[in-house]
Amino acid sequence: MSTFTIMVDSNCDIPDDFAAEHDIIVLPMPFDLDGRPYNSGYWQEISGKEFYDALRAGRVAKTSQINIAAYTEVFTDYAQQGKELLIILLSSGLSSTYQSALIALQDVREDYPDCGIFVIDSVSATAGLGMLALLTAIKRSEGLSAAEAAAWLEVKKHSVFGFFTVDDLMYLHRGGRLNILTAISGSALNIRPVLNLAPDGTLAQKERVRGHKAALSAMVDQIKRSIAPGTKLDTILISHSDCPESASLLADIIKESVDVRDIRIVLMGPIIGAHLGPGAVTLLFEADMTREEYERRYY
């Protein structure tokens, strides 16, 4: 039985009990709220409710990447012990944390050239990382080595889809995703964007619809577009930034038109939550095609 370690950064949006159940280690990504630093990851020092209420009250959250020194410390520890590690990180299209990990790995390999450490750019975010970690854990249980799992994951990651909608367009404007006039006019007209994770792991706007439920339905339509007729999905993950009613409504819409074994709803972590704002809902699932194929076929 393969015993390599699976690690994922705290953007994965998987609770501690879920990570422990599947033997996945979560590496915290720091953030601060009005200048106060938080370094312990997924809701260790502040609750999700407190965080999103603070954003609603106008407080400002800023995110930071995991720095090179932190990666170097982790990688050196594994290399010294001769243990294998596969680490899955937030999309390089959204953060430079993946590049920092590569730099750290290059440094560690100067002293430990044969270390079994594999760094994966997830080209994903939020629970998409969690889904990739879970799928990798399944492959590990089937006996794949770290190198085999890494090669498998480099292919599989392109068929994990993510779709998003937000409640407050101004958060997308602040992040450079919408210009100010579009954000203001969209908010006034109750326009909701439907965004996806593009093939390169960046966020891209796909549709604009009027009304919250219409946006959720448009997201579900994307599932039906990307799977073959008669497909039964194993797991769909929904993450939300403190809007459980919207997440439950999305789950109900999915159940009406998609055959799926399990739908899991999780609270979105502070890193992506800081950029999407309260009221955002994300939908993550494994499709029957790659993102590149999807873009060519529909856009």
Side-chain angles (χ1 to χ4, degrees), residues 17-189:
D17 57 348
F18 182 89
E21 177 186 353
H22 298 283
D23 197 16
I24 297 167
I25 294 177
V26 179
L27 187 64
M29 182 173 277
F31 66 97
D32 71 59
L33 187 59
D34 277 352
R36 176 184 170 180
Y38 294 85
N39 299 304
S40 298
Y42 192 86
W43 309 132
Q44 297 297 312
E45 301 171 78
I46 184 173
S47 72
K49 182 64 175 174
E50 291 171 329
F51 176 79
Y52 288 114
D53 279 348
L55 295 187
R56 291 184 181 101
R59 297 174 65 187
V60 177
K62 295 182 179 179
T63 60
S64 302
Q65 63 165 309
I66 300 169
N67 61 40
I68 295 172
Y71 284 125
T72 299
E73 181 179 357
V74 171
F75 296 166
T76 299
D77 181 55
Y78 275 86
Q80 287 177 340
Q81 296 184 62
K83 295 181 178 179
E84 291 191 316
L85 170 67
L86 191 158
I87 182 168
I88 308 167
L89 299 172
L90 176 65
S91 170
S92 63
L94 300 175
S95 169
S96 58
T97 190
Y98 169 71
Q99 284 80 6
S100 294
L102 290 182
I103 293 170
L105 181 56
Q106 183 177 5
D107 290 343
V108 171
R109 279 181 173 162
E110 291 182 2
D111 295 322
Y112 304 94
D114 298 323
C115 66
I117 299 172
F118 302 87
V119 178
I120 304 295
D121 176 2
S122 70
V123 295
S124 196
T126 78
L129 278 78
M131 178 169 285
L132 289 172
L134 173 60
L135 293 172
T136 305
I138 293 171
K139 288 297 178 182
R140 179 178 59 187
S141 70
E142 293 173 354
L144 264 65
S145 67
E148 291 169 334
W152 174 86
L153 194 54
E154 288 290 356
V155 176
K156 174 58 64 176
K157 68 185 185 182
H158 295 292
S159 61
V160 171
F161 282 37
F163 288 90
F164 307 74
T165 191
V166 299
D167 185 57
D168 188 342
L169 295 174
M170 294 306 296
Y171 283 90
L172 289 175
H173 162 65
R174 292 170 196 151
R177 302 295 171 183
L178 289 177
N179 65 49
I180 186 64
L181 291 177
T182 300
I184 292 173
S185 63
S187 296
L189 296 171

Side-chain angles (χ1 to χ4, degrees), residues 227 230-234 236 254-261:
I227 60 176
T231 296
K232 180 170 184 175
L233 295 178
D234 183 71
I236 291 176
I254 292 170
K255 292 172 185 176
E256 291 174 357
S257 55
V258 178
D259 191 4
V260 57
R261 182 188 64 83

